[in-house]
Amino acid sequence: MNHIKLVIVCMLAVVFAGCAKTDVEMFGDIHGIVSNSASGEPLRNVNVTLMPGGKSTVTGSDGSFEYQKLTPGQYVVQVRSEGFVSNSKTVTVEPDVIVRCDVSMAPGIGRLYVSTSLPDFGAADSARPFVTANNSPGNLNRRISYRCAWITSLSPGVILAGRTALMSAHADPSGREAGNSIS
C-alpha cells in the first residue's frame, strides 16, 4: 500500500514539475506618451515610427503608444505631427522588460497663408478684402507690414487655429499716382 502511495506521489510531482514556468520571455515592449512640451498636455494622433523596422502607429486620445514583442536591441522612436517639431528618442529593449519612452514635442512655428489673388484697387476704391488661413495648431496674431505710401492700413486681428479669416487692405486713392495699383 505504501508502495502505491509513493508511486502516486512521484507521478504527481512529475506532472506538477512539467507545469512550472521555465520559459524565459525573449521579447520586450516599449510604452510611452507623447506630450506638448509647452503645455505638458498629451498629444493625440501623433505618428510614431520605430526604427529599425519602420513599424508605425499613432497615439491614442491620451497620447499613449506601445510596441510589443520586440527583439532585444537598440531602437529609435520617431514622432511627427502637423504643427509640431518632429522629435526622436533612443531606447534599449531587453527581454521581458517594458521600456518607458515618453517623448515631448515643441509647437512649430505658425503658418499664415494669404490667398494668391491680391486685392486690386481701382481708381476710386478705398478698401479690398482678401482671405488668410491659419494652418497651425495655435491661434495666430496677424499683422502684415507694407511699404506703400497710399496703403493706410491692413486689418490686424487673430486667426483661430485651423480657420480662415477675411482681412482688409485700406488705401487712400488720392495718394496713388496714375496706374499705380496692386494687382
Side-chain angles (χ1 to χ4, degrees):
M1 183 67 120
N2 284 340
H3 184 53
I4 294 175
K5 286 182 186 179
L6 181 61
V7 171
I8 292 174
V9 170
C10 287
M11 289 176 62
L12 288 174
V14 169
V15 169
F16 286 119
C19 293
K21 182 179 178 184
T22 58
D23 296 336
V24 174
E25 184 67 44
M26 297 307 295
F27 301 101
D29 298 344
I30 298 174
H31 292 193
I33 293 178
V34 179
S35 61
N36 181 329
S37 65
S39 68
E41 295 293 317
L43 296 174
R44 74 172 94 194
N45 297 323
V46 173
N47 185 339
V48 183
T49 304
L50 190 64
M51 299 304 284
K55 291 182 181 181
S56 185
T57 189
V58 294
T59 59
S61 61
D62 60 352
S64 67
F65 68 93
E66 64 180 48
Y67 290 100
Q68 297 179 336
K69 299 215 178 273
L70 298 171
T71 303
Q74 195 168 47
Y75 292 87
V76 175
V77 176
Q78 300 172 332
V79 294
R80 291 186 326 265
S81 184
E82 181 72 30
F84 288 87
V85 178
S86 298
N87 199 1
S88 64
K89 194 170 188 180
T90 302
V91 295
T92 301
V93 172
E94 297 178 18
D96 204 23
V97 174
I98 297 173
V99 177
R100 190 80 192 162
C101 181
D102 294 336
V103 184
S104 63
M105 299 182 75
I109 297 171
R111 294 184 205 119
L112 176 66
Y113 295 95
V114 178
S115 63
T116 56
S117 57
L118 295 173
D120 183 15
F121 287 90
D125 292 334
S126 63
R128 285 289 182 205
F130 58 97
V131 176
T132 57
N134 175 3
N135 289 345
S136 71
N139 298 340
L140 289 177
N141 290 320
R142 63 180 181 199
R143 189 191 65 175
I144 299 176
S145 60
Y146 51 91
R147 293 185 207 157
C148 185
W150 52 270
I151 293 181
T152 59
S153 69
L154 290 168
S155 57
V158 174
I159 305 175
L160 300 177
R163 305 289 298 270
T164 60
L166 196 57
M167 198 169 178
S168 295
H170 299 272
D172 177 7
S174 66
R176 291 182 288 177
E177 298 174 10
N180 189 8
S181 65
I182 297 177
S183 58

